[in-house]
Amino acid sequence: STGSVSASPESYDESYLIPVSIGGTTFHLDLDTGSSDLWVFSTQQPASQRSGHTAYKQTGTKKSGYTWNISYGDGSGAKGDVYVDKVVVGGVTATSQAVEAATSVSSSFTSDTDNDGLIGAAFSSINTVSPQQQLTFFDNVKNSLSQKLFAARLRYHTAGTYDYGYIDSSKYSGSIHYVPVNTANGFWEFTASGVSGSSIADTGTTLLYIPDSNVDAYYANVDSASYDSSQGGYTFDCDESLPDWTVTIGSGSITVPGEYINFAPVSGNTCFGGIQSSDGIGFNIFGDIFLKATYTVFDQTQSSPRLGFAQG
Ligand SMILES: NCc1ccc(-c2ccco2)nc1
């Protein structure tokens, strides 16, 4: 089988949401290649906590005694219990998917009423369900796909796609260049030339986080840029045109247009940079600011997983 689903950006491309059918109800979920739980708002939460969200009414079979509890790098989190239900994404069906129903979520999820939960697409080794880890949607369907892969084509300020089971050559230019993936930490982890340390491809992170040295070198070419500790990152005048940022990954090169690196206004005519420091995180995060310049293939067709990058 193959399928494709639209990925619609929230304001300022903060995150990209896809329609997912669970037990016949459509939820708008953040497909997150940086985590491995599929969780949704549910009627088990206080009504005030789920106001404005589509909530799961436990249509599936409860996995008695199973729980989950997840914390994300941005300080948000959620927890709850577990059901098994039919899940469909872009026409691709998992007949018995672990659906993690929330009993509580952090305030930033409650306030983001576009988002009804997350569908994780990292490796199942970091799924948080206890006492038995559960498989991601991709792991559940990959054997039924024409090719064991999915591909992300996020776009700047407009809807993109996630393709399942096939590569759409109309969505990129040049060639796809592949690099090996280290799965030891459960992420789509790879090495980028000229960017020290390990990097992860993370659709669920908004910005591009790279080492201080790379960040400082980038903003040295932005006259109005400075590090603003009150904002927690580099800011600049919204009207200043920004340089492109180019990186070599394997035998291929990807260029992020400068326009994409103006993330959003933070106050008046001051804007927050899409490139920020990864110092303190433990690895670099190639989030949406980077991914929206690419066609990225999350590939398990070989004996070892690999990532493919092409210019979008
Ligand atoms: N990188 C995982 C992730 C994704 C989304 C969110 C989030 C918080 C509020 C709304 O969305 N947090 C973490």
Side-chain angles (χ1 to χ4, degrees), residues 15 30 32 35 72-74 76 108-109 112 115 118 202 204-205:
S15 72
D30 181 355
D32 178 16
S35 67
Y72 298 107
D74 66 353
S76 64
S108 59
F109 281 114
D112 182 358
N115 176 326
L118 268 68
D202 184 359
T205 289

Side-chain angles (χ1 to χ4, degrees), residues 89 131 206 210 248-249 303:
V89 178
T206 310
I210 54 179
T248 299
I249 302 174
S303 53

